[in-house]
Amino acid sequence: MNDQQFDNQMKKLKKQYDQIPQKTSSDQIMSQIKKENQPRRATFFSRWQVAALMFLAAGIGAILLSGGFFTDQSNQIAISDEEINEEATLYNGDDKANLLTEEEAAEEALTEEGEVTTYEEPADGESETAAPRSSFERIDIGETREEPVMREGQEDIIVVKEFTDTELGFFSVVDEQFEVEINPDAEKGIQIVANYGNGRIEPAFLLITPVDVGSVDEILEEWDQEMSNNGFALEDNESDWVNSRNDQLNVMEERFYIGDYESKRYALLSNDDNYYTIEIYTFGEYTEGLQVRAGQVIEHFEWTP
């Protein structure tokens, strides 16, 4: 044993001596010495495990690198950064509107030069113009039934529907396929559009419209001028057609005009100091059928309370 080994051994014995309690048995002393001299298998085993794990991790890393895993992840991160930078550029540039939310776009559309358009309530004493009532609110459609009519000297059966105009205050019937609606050109009036099952046939063939009457002569002159401008000629021998079918209408005047392939009839009615015009327009191949349907409307026409 050389001097270095001797010194180490003495230091070891001194360390063991210092750890021995002052009062103890000889058995305890010997047990402690044996314990210190046992081979440290646990330490050796732990180091072996660490070495194995490091070897395994190195193998997995090699596989991932060979498969391009980290390359793909890096590319995705790079692409994401480019997209973020591109969106930031757009937001700060001329294409800022493309990144606005729907709500922001809607608000921006309502503004001009920083001013917001707002709705103002009408002042006291002022009233808004009332919107016209829809056909569904104003025109009540009733039951259907069969009606006999004369066409070309023979009796025919037509299914008709009842309808009431609650605004103008009258009741009548019309072919169930025809459309009764508010006149878009005279919102207080109504129009009836032909429909034989293949769609609407424009224009409307019958209109009923309230009018302001200065004098009957003025109304007649207005009719004559309008129809003359449109190439129609007045026919005096058929100026009692509406009144002859329903004398309860209080017909004040009638006019019948003939064109090349069309005709138009006007009638001025009165009811409770109110005045109305009935216009019946027949044209082309539909002339006879439309006249039959117009006759049904006139014959069943009744003023309602």
Side-chain angles (χ1 to χ4, degrees):
M1 176 183 298
N2 56 30
D3 293 338
Q4 182 66 34
Q5 292 176 339
F6 177 79
D7 290 338
N8 291 338
Q9 185 66 24
M10 292 301 294
K11 289 179 181 179
K12 182 176 181 182
L13 290 173
K14 184 178 184 305
K15 182 179 180 181
Q16 291 177 354
Y17 175 81
D18 292 338
Q19 293 176 352
I20 296 174
Q22 294 181 359
K23 294 181 180 182
T24 185
S25 64
S26 60
D27 293 335
Q28 290 177 339
I29 294 172
M30 294 303 296
S31 175
Q32 181 67 24
I33 293 172
K34 291 179 180 180
K35 183 178 180 181
E36 292 294 331
N37 292 330
Q38 287 179 354
R40 298 184 179 183
R41 295 181 180 177
T43 302
F44 173 79
F45 182 75
S46 298
R47 291 175 179 174
W48 179 86
Q49 284 183 324
V50 170
L53 291 174
M54 291 177 64
F55 180 80
L56 180 62
I60 293 174
I63 293 173
L64 294 176
L65 288 173
S66 64
F69 177 79
F70 290 106
T71 302
D72 293 341
Q73 293 296 322
S74 299
N75 290 339
Q76 291 181 1
I77 293 173
I79 292 172
S80 300
D81 291 339
E82 291 176 2
E83 292 176 349
I84 292 172
N85 293 333
E86 183 178 354
E87 290 181 358
T89 301
L90 287 174
Y91 184 80
N92 294 323
D94 296 334
D95 293 329
K96 177 180 177 181
N98 294 333
L99 300 178
L100 293 176
T101 64
E102 292 181 358
E103 293 181 357
E104 292 172 338
E107 292 176 358
E108 189 170 286
L110 294 175
T111 62
E112 183 178 359
E113 297 180 355
E115 297 182 358
V116 179
T117 302
T118 57
Y119 174 79
E120 296 182 357
E121 295 289 342
D124 295 339
E126 295 182 358
S127 61
E128 299 181 43
T129 303
R133 297 170 60 188
S134 70
S135 299
F136 296 104
E137 295 174 338
R138 173 176 159 181
I139 299 172
D140 294 334
I141 303 299
E143 299 179 351
T144 60
R145 63 174 184 267
E146 293 183 346
E147 282 277 334
V149 294
M150 296 299 297
R151 186 160 49 187
E152 296 181 354
Q154 297 182 350
E155 186 177 276
D156 195 4
I157 301 297
I158 297 176
V159 179
V160 298
K161 60 184 175 186
E162 301 174 350
F163 71 93
T164 302
D165 186 334
T166 60
E167 190 83 12
L168 300 184
F170 72 87
F171 161 90
S172 191
V173 303
V174 70
D175 190 307
E176 68 166 347
Q177 298 182 99
F178 286 19
E179 300 171 18
V180 185
E181 57 195 25
I182 294 174
N183 183 356
D185 297 326
E187 294 173 347
K188 293 184 179 180
I190 69 163
Q191 65 181 21
I192 302 178
V193 180
N195 187 339
Y196 293 99
N198 296 320
R200 294 164 60 94
I201 301 173
E202 302 283 2
F205 81 99
L206 192 147
L207 299 92
I208 302 175
T209 310
V211 294
D212 295 326
V213 176
S215 69
V216 175
D217 289 339
E218 289 179 1
I219 294 291
L220 298 178
E221 290 177 5
E222 182 180 333
W223 291 348
D224 291 343
Q225 185 65 45
E226 177 185 355
M227 299 312 296
S228 176
N229 293 340
N230 288 285
F232 287 79
L234 177 63
E235 290 285 337
D236 288 331
N237 59 343
E238 291 193 29
S239 59
D240 195 35
W241 187 85
V242 173
N243 187 61
S244 64
R245 280 162 174 75
N246 190 340
D247 58 7
Q248 302 300 314
L249 294 180
N250 301 325
V251 177
M252 300 178 66
E253 287 290 343
E254 284 190 54
R255 282 285 198 270
F256 182 65
Y257 303 91
I258 294 291
D260 292 336
Y261 301 101
E262 54 193 345
S263 65
K264 191 161 191 178
R265 186 182 301 276
Y266 282 100
L268 178 63
L269 316 178
S270 66
N271 181 53
D272 294 335
D273 296 328
N274 296 313
Y275 299 91
Y276 308 85
T277 58
I278 291 181
E279 301 175 48
I280 301 171
Y281 177 63
T282 59
F283 48 91
E285 60 182 319
Y286 302 106
T287 296
E288 183 182 0
L290 295 178
Q291 186 164 325
V292 170
R293 271 69 175 188
Q296 285 181 311
V297 176
I298 299 302
E299 291 167 8
H300 292 279
F301 192 103
E302 298 178 7
W303 296 111
T304 58

